[in-house]
Amino acid sequence: MGIKDVARLAGVSQGTVSHVLNHPDRVSPGKTAAVEAAIAQLGFVRNEPARQLRAGYSNTVGLLLLDAWNPGFMDLARGVEDATAERGWTVLISNSGRDISREKTYLRLFAEGRVAGLIVIPHDESADGLHRIRTGGIPVVVVDRAESGEHRLSVAVDDVTGGRDAARHLIELGHRHLAFVGDELTAAPVHDRLAGVRRAVDEAVGEGLDVRLEVIPAELTVEAGREVGERLAKLPAKRRPTAVSAAIDLLAFGVLQSLLSHGLRVPDDVSLMGYDDIPFARQLSVSLTSVRRPHYEMGTTAAHLLTDVLTGATPQDRHVVFEPELVVRASTAGPADYKEGT
């Protein structure tokens, strides 16, 4: 069923049907009513992708998430959707699930589907695929990676500063044995957070404090956090870190569950720090101290950058970097044996 069938039933030309669909102001009220009645009777739905392909343009942008299970990325997606809808664009969302092969498939499908532009939270190994899309004429905004260059667009957070602020908070509370939980090889932002933690520890040591850091690699999931929490809970108190800084809140949630299930008190026995400040962080049985990343604002900013470029406007800044914010709650406090000046 197509425009030809609608035109035949309405008793008008195919051009008139096209005008009703795309330029209704050019058609008389009587013919518009006849076409709309035929559309309703036939249940006609036009093939929008095919129409856009014939016209040589699309009003749809693609959004590729790295991990839809992370509520922070869903807040980012909400920001993208709100900002694109506000400007009359639509967005198609997909999720790579941190799988590089799946990401490559989605990038290819987006390119073949002739989306106008892409917003991507990429896997660390996706540089080549993004380069091919850019050279094919599709603008791309990379999110959660700081990029540079006048022909690129990016939105990121200063995660080195965020990691440093997290560790400095724990050190200033009096903690001298810290653990960082998370695998820096899983994602560039995790690498940056650990770099910030290490910087804070090095600065403290330079100030004469006896601070040591233990790095515990773990996947970025609640389940992995539970496993780490189990291991920490079974350690003798003298060998257990007094403060744990998790790469993301989801990891911290798992650590917290295991510590509490083994009778350890947070923060009395172990202080716990998250990262992201997703909504659940403040709703736990022990509200979580975390480093807040403005996910929704990152999404709206990425969408505005992309739609500016697509409509011929010049973005004020092609590379936006947000500052993180330390949010202190109940899960961090000074160690029980801490004395000021030690």
Side-chain angles (χ1 to χ4, degrees), residues 203-253:
E203 290 170 350
V205 171
E207 295 168 2
L209 299 177
D210 182 20
V211 179
R212 57 195 173 107
L213 173 66
E214 182 178 342
V215 178
I216 306 174
E219 294 183 2
L220 306 180
T221 64
V222 175
E223 292 74 15
R226 290 194 193 102
E227 293 175 5
V228 171
E230 287 283 331
R231 297 203 299 271
L232 292 175
K234 293 175 181 177
L235 290 173
K238 290 185 178 181
R239 290 178 49 203
R240 185 188 307 124
T242 61
V244 174
S245 181
I248 65 172
D249 285 344
L250 294 180
L251 261 174
F253 292 176

Short mmCIF file of all heavy atoms in Angstrom, two decimals, residues 203-253:
data_model
loop_
_atom_site.label_atom_id
_atom_site.label_comp_id
_atom_site.label_asym_id
_atom_site.label_seq_id
_atom_site.Cartn_x
_atom_site.Cartn_y
_atom_site.Cartn_z
N GLU A 203 50.78 12.96 46.24
CA GLU A 203 50.84 14.28 46.87
C GLU A 203 50.89 14.14 48.39
O GLU A 203 51.64 14.87 49.07
CB GLU A 203 49.63 15.11 46.46
CG GLU A 203 49.66 15.56 45.00
CD GLU A 203 48.36 16.17 44.54
OE1 GLU A 203 47.36 16.08 45.29
OE2 GLU A 203 48.33 16.74 43.43
N ALA A 204 50.11 13.20 48.93
CA ALA A 204 50.10 12.99 50.38
C ALA A 204 51.45 12.47 50.87
O ALA A 204 51.95 12.91 51.91
CB ALA A 204 48.98 12.02 50.75
N VAL A 205 52.01 11.55 50.12
CA VAL A 205 53.33 11.02 50.47
C VAL A 205 54.37 12.13 50.42
O VAL A 205 55.25 12.24 51.28
CB VAL A 205 53.73 9.86 49.53
CG1 VAL A 205 55.18 9.46 49.75
CG2 VAL A 205 52.82 8.66 49.76
N GLY A 206 54.24 13.00 49.41
CA GLY A 206 55.15 14.14 49.31
C GLY A 206 55.03 15.10 50.48
O GLY A 206 55.97 15.84 50.78
N GLU A 207 53.89 15.08 51.13
CA GLU A 207 53.66 15.92 52.31
C GLU A 207 54.08 15.23 53.59
O GLU A 207 53.88 15.76 54.69
CB GLU A 207 52.18 16.30 52.39
CG GLU A 207 51.71 17.18 51.23
CD GLU A 207 50.19 17.30 51.17
OE1 GLU A 207 49.52 16.73 52.06
OE2 GLU A 207 49.69 17.95 50.24
N GLY A 208 54.66 14.04 53.45
CA GLY A 208 55.18 13.33 54.61
C GLY A 208 54.22 12.34 55.24
O GLY A 208 54.51 11.79 56.32
N LEU A 209 53.07 12.08 54.60
CA LEU A 209 52.10 11.13 55.15
C LEU A 209 52.40 9.72 54.65
O LEU A 209 52.79 9.53 53.50
CB LEU A 209 50.68 11.54 54.75
CG LEU A 209 50.20 12.90 55.25
CD1 LEU A 209 48.80 13.21 54.72
CD2 LEU A 209 50.21 12.96 56.78
N ASP A 210 52.19 8.75 55.50
CA ASP A 210 52.43 7.34 55.15
C ASP A 210 51.15 6.75 54.57
O ASP A 210 50.42 6.00 55.23
CB ASP A 210 52.88 6.56 56.39
CG ASP A 210 53.21 5.11 56.07
OD1 ASP A 210 53.45 4.81 54.88
OD2 ASP A 210 53.20 4.27 57.00
N VAL A 211 50.89 7.07 53.31
CA VAL A 211 49.68 6.61 52.64
C VAL A 211 50.05 5.56 51.60
O VAL A 211 50.99 5.74 50.83
CB VAL A 211 48.94 7.78 51.95
CG1 VAL A 211 47.68 7.27 51.24
CG2 VAL A 211 48.59 8.85 52.96
N ARG A 212 49.31 4.45 51.59
CA ARG A 212 49.56 3.42 50.58
C ARG A 212 48.25 3.08 49.87
O ARG A 212 47.17 3.19 50.44
CB ARG A 212 50.19 2.17 51.18
CG ARG A 212 49.41 1.52 52.30
CD ARG A 212 50.31 0.53 53.05
NE ARG A 212 49.68 0.00 54.23
CZ ARG A 212 49.21 -1.24 54.35
NH1 ARG A 212 49.31 -2.07 53.31
NH2 ARG A 212 48.67 -1.66 55.47
N LEU A 213 48.43 2.68 48.63
CA LEU A 213 47.28 2.40 47.77
C LEU A 213 47.36 0.97 47.26
O LEU A 213 48.40 0.53 46.78
CB LEU A 213 47.25 3.36 46.58
CG LEU A 213 46.21 3.10 45.49
CD1 LEU A 213 44.80 3.31 46.05
CD2 LEU A 213 46.45 4.00 44.29
N GLU A 214 46.24 0.29 47.34
CA GLU A 214 46.10 -1.06 46.80
C GLU A 214 45.09 -1.01 45.66
O GLU A 214 43.99 -0.47 45.82
CB GLU A 214 45.61 -1.98 47.92
CG GLU A 214 45.44 -3.43 47.56
CD GLU A 214 44.99 -4.25 48.77
OE1 GLU A 214 45.13 -3.77 49.92
OE2 GLU A 214 44.49 -5.37 48.54
N VAL A 215 45.45 -1.53 44.49
CA VAL A 215 44.55 -1.54 43.35
C VAL A 215 43.97 -2.94 43.17
O VAL A 215 44.72 -3.91 43.06
CB VAL A 215 45.27 -1.09 42.06
CG1 VAL A 215 44.32 -1.16 40.86
CG2 VAL A 215 45.82 0.32 42.22
N ILE A 216 42.65 -3.03 43.17
CA ILE A 216 41.96 -4.31 43.03
C ILE A 216 41.19 -4.31 41.70
O ILE A 216 40.13 -3.69 41.61
CB ILE A 216 40.99 -4.56 44.20
CG1 ILE A 216 41.72 -4.43 45.54
CG2 ILE A 216 40.32 -5.92 44.07
CD1 ILE A 216 40.80 -4.50 46.76
N PRO A 217 41.72 -4.96 40.66
CA PRO A 217 41.01 -4.97 39.38
C PRO A 217 39.65 -5.67 39.51
O PRO A 217 39.53 -6.69 40.20
CB PRO A 217 41.94 -5.75 38.45
CG PRO A 217 43.28 -5.67 39.10
CD PRO A 217 43.00 -5.67 40.58
N ALA A 218 38.64 -5.13 38.86
CA ALA A 218 37.30 -5.73 38.90
C ALA A 218 36.49 -5.19 37.73
O ALA A 218 36.67 -4.05 37.31
CB ALA A 218 36.59 -5.42 40.22
N GLU A 219 35.59 -6.02 37.20
CA GLU A 219 34.67 -5.55 36.18
C GLU A 219 33.72 -4.52 36.79
O GLU A 219 33.56 -4.45 38.02
CB GLU A 219 33.86 -6.72 35.61
CG GLU A 219 34.70 -7.73 34.83
CD GLU A 219 33.85 -8.83 34.23
OE1 GLU A 219 32.61 -8.78 34.39
OE2 GLU A 219 34.42 -9.73 33.61
N LEU A 220 33.10 -3.74 35.95
CA LEU A 220 32.28 -2.63 36.42
C LEU A 220 30.83 -3.06 36.64
O LEU A 220 29.90 -2.54 36.02
CB LEU A 220 32.37 -1.47 35.42
CG LEU A 220 33.78 -1.00 35.09
CD1 LEU A 220 33.74 0.14 34.09
CD2 LEU A 220 34.54 -0.59 36.34
N THR A 221 30.63 -3.99 37.57
CA THR A 221 29.29 -4.52 37.84
C THR A 221 29.06 -4.66 39.34
O THR A 221 30.02 -4.71 40.12
CB THR A 221 29.11 -5.91 37.19
OG1 THR A 221 30.02 -6.84 37.81
CG2 THR A 221 29.37 -5.86 35.69
N VAL A 222 27.80 -4.75 39.73
CA VAL A 222 27.47 -4.99 41.13
C VAL A 222 28.02 -6.35 41.57
O VAL A 222 28.55 -6.49 42.68
CB VAL A 222 25.94 -4.94 41.33
CG1 VAL A 222 25.57 -5.32 42.76
CG2 VAL A 222 25.39 -3.56 41.00
N GLU A 223 27.90 -7.36 40.71
CA GLU A 223 28.37 -8.70 41.05
C GLU A 223 29.87 -8.71 41.35
O GLU A 223 30.32 -9.34 42.32
CB GLU A 223 28.07 -9.68 39.91
CG GLU A 223 26.59 -9.97 39.70
CD GLU A 223 25.84 -8.82 39.02
OE1 GLU A 223 26.50 -7.90 38.47
OE2 GLU A 223 24.60 -8.83 39.07
N ALA A 224 30.64 -8.01 40.53
CA ALA A 224 32.08 -7.93 40.77
C ALA A 224 32.36 -7.22 42.09
O ALA A 224 33.29 -7.59 42.83
CB ALA A 224 32.77 -7.21 39.62
N GLY A 225 31.56 -6.20 42.41
CA GLY A 225 31.72 -5.51 43.68
C GLY A 225 31.45 -6.43 44.86
O GLY A 225 32.16 -6.36 45.87
N ARG A 226 30.46 -7.30 44.73
CA ARG A 226 30.18 -8.25 45.80
C ARG A 226 31.37 -9.17 46.03
O ARG A 226 31.73 -9.47 47.19
CB ARG A 226 28.94 -9.10 45.47
CG ARG A 226 27.63 -8.34 45.49
CD ARG A 226 26.46 -9.32 45.49
NE ARG A 226 25.21 -8.65 45.22
CZ ARG A 226 24.57 -8.65 44.05
NH1 ARG A 226 25.09 -9.34 43.03
NH2 ARG A 226 23.44 -8.01 43.88
N GLU A 227 31.99 -9.63 44.96
CA GLU A 227 33.15 -10.52 45.08
C GLU A 227 34.31 -9.82 45.78
O GLU A 227 34.98 -10.40 46.64
CB GLU A 227 33.57 -11.01 43.70
CG GLU A 227 32.56 -11.93 43.03
CD GLU A 227 32.95 -12.29 41.61
OE1 GLU A 227 34.06 -11.90 41.18
OE2 GLU A 227 32.15 -12.96 40.92
N VAL A 228 34.53 -8.57 45.41
CA VAL A 228 35.60 -7.81 46.08
C VAL A 228 35.26 -7.61 47.55
O VAL A 228 36.11 -7.78 48.43
CB VAL A 228 35.80 -6.44 45.39
CG1 VAL A 228 36.74 -5.56 46.21
CG2 VAL A 228 36.35 -6.63 43.98
N GLY A 229 34.01 -7.28 47.84
CA GLY A 229 33.59 -7.11 49.22
C GLY A 229 33.77 -8.37 50.05
O GLY A 229 34.17 -8.31 51.22
N GLU A 230 33.50 -9.53 49.43
CA GLU A 230 33.71 -10.81 50.12
C GLU A 230 35.17 -10.98 50.51
O GLU A 230 35.49 -11.37 51.64
CB GLU A 230 33.29 -11.97 49.20
CG GLU A 230 31.80 -12.13 49.01
CD GLU A 230 31.13 -12.78 50.22
OE1 GLU A 230 31.81 -13.56 50.91
OE2 GLU A 230 29.94 -12.49 50.46
N ARG A 231 36.06 -10.68 49.57
CA ARG A 231 37.49 -10.83 49.84
C ARG A 231 37.96 -9.87 50.93
O ARG A 231 38.74 -10.24 51.82
CB ARG A 231 38.31 -10.62 48.57
CG ARG A 231 38.03 -11.64 47.48
CD ARG A 231 39.19 -11.74 46.51
NE ARG A 231 39.47 -10.49 45.83
CZ ARG A 231 38.92 -10.11 44.69
NH1 ARG A 231 38.02 -10.90 44.10
NH2 ARG A 231 39.24 -8.97 44.12
N LEU A 232 37.47 -8.64 50.85
CA LEU A 232 37.87 -7.66 51.86
C LEU A 232 37.36 -8.05 53.25
O LEU A 232 38.07 -7.90 54.25
CB LEU A 232 37.34 -6.28 51.48
CG LEU A 232 37.95 -5.62 50.24
CD1 LEU A 232 37.22 -4.31 49.93
CD2 LEU A 232 39.44 -5.37 50.43
N ALA A 233 36.12 -8.53 53.30
CA ALA A 233 35.53 -8.88 54.60
C ALA A 233 36.27 -10.02 55.29
O ALA A 233 36.30 -10.09 56.52
CB ALA A 233 34.06 -9.26 54.39
N LYS A 234 36.88 -10.89 54.51
CA LYS A 234 37.58 -12.06 55.08
C LYS A 234 39.01 -11.75 55.51
O LYS A 234 39.67 -12.59 56.12
CB LYS A 234 37.57 -13.19 54.06
CG LYS A 234 36.17 -13.76 53.80
CD LYS A 234 36.18 -14.81 52.71
CE LYS A 234 34.76 -15.33 52.46
NZ LYS A 234 34.72 -16.31 51.34
N LEU A 235 39.49 -10.56 55.18
CA LEU A 235 40.84 -10.19 55.59
C LEU A 235 40.88 -9.83 57.07
O LEU A 235 39.91 -9.28 57.61
CB LEU A 235 41.33 -8.98 54.78
CG LEU A 235 41.64 -9.19 53.30
CD1 LEU A 235 41.94 -7.84 52.65
CD2 LEU A 235 42.82 -10.14 53.13
N PRO A 236 42.00 -10.10 57.74
CA PRO A 236 42.16 -9.61 59.12
C PRO A 236 42.09 -8.08 59.12
O PRO A 236 42.51 -7.43 58.15
CB PRO A 236 43.56 -10.09 59.50
CG PRO A 236 43.85 -11.22 58.57
CD PRO A 236 43.15 -10.90 57.29
N ALA A 237 41.58 -7.51 60.18
CA ALA A 237 41.36 -6.06 60.24
C ALA A 237 42.64 -5.29 59.96
O ALA A 237 42.61 -4.24 59.29
CB ALA A 237 40.79 -5.68 61.60
N LYS A 238 43.79 -5.79 60.43
CA LYS A 238 45.04 -5.05 60.24
C LYS A 238 45.50 -5.04 58.78
O LYS A 238 46.29 -4.19 58.39
CB LYS A 238 46.13 -5.63 61.14
CG LYS A 238 45.90 -5.36 62.62
CD LYS A 238 47.07 -5.86 63.46
CE LYS A 238 46.86 -5.55 64.95
NZ LYS A 238 47.99 -6.01 65.77
N ARG A 239 45.02 -6.01 57.99
CA ARG A 239 45.42 -6.08 56.59
C ARG A 239 44.38 -5.47 55.66
O ARG A 239 44.63 -5.27 54.47
CB ARG A 239 45.66 -7.53 56.18
CG ARG A 239 46.91 -8.17 56.80
CD ARG A 239 47.04 -9.61 56.38
NE ARG A 239 46.91 -9.77 54.93
CZ ARG A 239 46.55 -10.91 54.34
NH1 ARG A 239 46.26 -11.97 55.07
NH2 ARG A 239 46.46 -10.97 53.02
N ARG A 240 43.23 -5.16 56.18
CA ARG A 240 42.13 -4.66 55.35
C ARG A 240 42.27 -3.15 55.15
O ARG A 240 42.54 -2.42 56.11
CB ARG A 240 40.79 -4.96 56.03
CG ARG A 240 39.57 -4.57 55.19
CD ARG A 240 38.29 -4.71 55.98
NE ARG A 240 38.16 -6.03 56.56
CZ ARG A 240 37.99 -6.26 57.86
NH1 ARG A 240 37.94 -5.25 58.72
NH2 ARG A 240 37.88 -7.48 58.31
N PRO A 241 42.08 -2.67 53.93
CA PRO A 241 42.07 -1.22 53.72
C PRO A 241 40.97 -0.58 54.55
O PRO A 241 39.89 -1.14 54.72
CB PRO A 241 41.77 -1.08 52.22
CG PRO A 241 42.16 -2.40 51.62
CD PRO A 241 41.89 -3.42 52.68
N THR A 242 41.27 0.59 55.10
CA THR A 242 40.24 1.27 55.89
C THR A 242 39.30 2.10 55.03
O THR A 242 38.26 2.56 55.52
CB THR A 242 40.90 2.19 56.94
OG1 THR A 242 41.68 3.19 56.27
CG2 THR A 242 41.78 1.39 57.89
N ALA A 243 39.68 2.29 53.75
CA ALA A 243 38.82 3.06 52.85
C ALA A 243 38.91 2.48 51.44
O ALA A 243 40.00 2.12 50.98
CB ALA A 243 39.22 4.53 52.84
N VAL A 244 37.77 2.40 50.79
CA VAL A 244 37.70 1.85 49.43
C VAL A 244 37.09 2.89 48.50
O VAL A 244 36.03 3.45 48.79
CB VAL A 244 36.84 0.57 49.41
CG1 VAL A 244 36.63 0.09 47.97
CG2 VAL A 244 37.47 -0.52 50.25
N SER A 245 37.77 3.14 47.40
CA SER A 245 37.25 4.03 46.36
C SER A 245 36.92 3.19 45.14
O SER A 245 37.81 2.57 44.55
CB SER A 245 38.31 5.09 46.00
OG SER A 245 37.81 5.98 45.01
N ALA A 246 35.64 3.12 44.79
CA ALA A 246 35.20 2.30 43.66
C ALA A 246 35.17 3.13 42.38
O ALA A 246 34.86 4.32 42.40
CB ALA A 246 33.82 1.72 43.94
N ALA A 247 35.45 2.47 41.26
CA ALA A 247 35.50 3.17 39.96
C ALA A 247 34.14 3.70 39.54
O ALA A 247 34.05 4.73 38.87
CB ALA A 247 36.05 2.23 38.89
N ILE A 248 33.06 2.99 39.91
CA ILE A 248 31.70 3.46 39.63
C ILE A 248 30.80 3.07 40.82
O ILE A 248 31.13 2.19 41.60
CB ILE A 248 31.12 2.87 38.32
CG1 ILE A 248 30.94 1.36 38.42
CG2 ILE A 248 31.98 3.24 37.13
CD1 ILE A 248 30.20 0.77 37.21
N ASP A 249 29.67 3.73 40.90
CA ASP A 249 28.74 3.45 42.01
C ASP A 249 28.29 2.00 42.05
O ASP A 249 28.12 1.41 43.13
CB ASP A 249 27.51 4.35 41.89
CG ASP A 249 27.78 5.80 42.29
OD1 ASP A 249 28.82 6.05 42.93
OD2 ASP A 249 26.95 6.66 41.95
N LEU A 250 28.04 1.40 40.87
CA LEU A 250 27.54 0.02 40.85
C LEU A 250 28.51 -0.92 41.54
O LEU A 250 28.10 -1.84 42.27
CB LEU A 250 27.29 -0.43 39.41
CG LEU A 250 26.18 0.30 38.65
CD1 LEU A 250 26.05 -0.25 37.22
CD2 LEU A 250 24.84 0.17 39.37
N LEU A 251 29.80 -0.73 41.33
CA LEU A 251 30.79 -1.53 42.04
C LEU A 251 30.69 -1.29 43.55
O LEU A 251 30.74 -2.24 44.35
CB LEU A 251 32.19 -1.15 41.58
CG LEU A 251 32.89 -2.03 40.54
CD1 LEU A 251 34.20 -1.38 40.11
CD2 LEU A 251 33.15 -3.41 41.10
N ALA A 252 30.55 -0.03 43.94
CA ALA A 252 30.44 0.30 45.36
C ALA A 252 29.22 -0.35 45.99
O ALA A 252 29.27 -0.80 47.15
CB ALA A 252 30.40 1.81 45.55
N PHE A 253 28.11 -0.43 45.25
CA PHE A 253 26.90 -1.07 45.77
C PHE A 253 27.21 -2.52 46.16
O PHE A 253 26.80 -3.00 47.22
CB PHE A 253 25.78 -1.07 44.73
CG PHE A 253 25.23 0.29 44.41
CD1 PHE A 253 24.28 0.44 43.42
CD2 PHE A 253 25.66 1.43 45.08
CE1 PHE A 253 23.76 1.69 43.10
CE2 PHE A 253 25.16 2.68 44.78
CZ PHE A 253 24.21 2.81 43.77
#
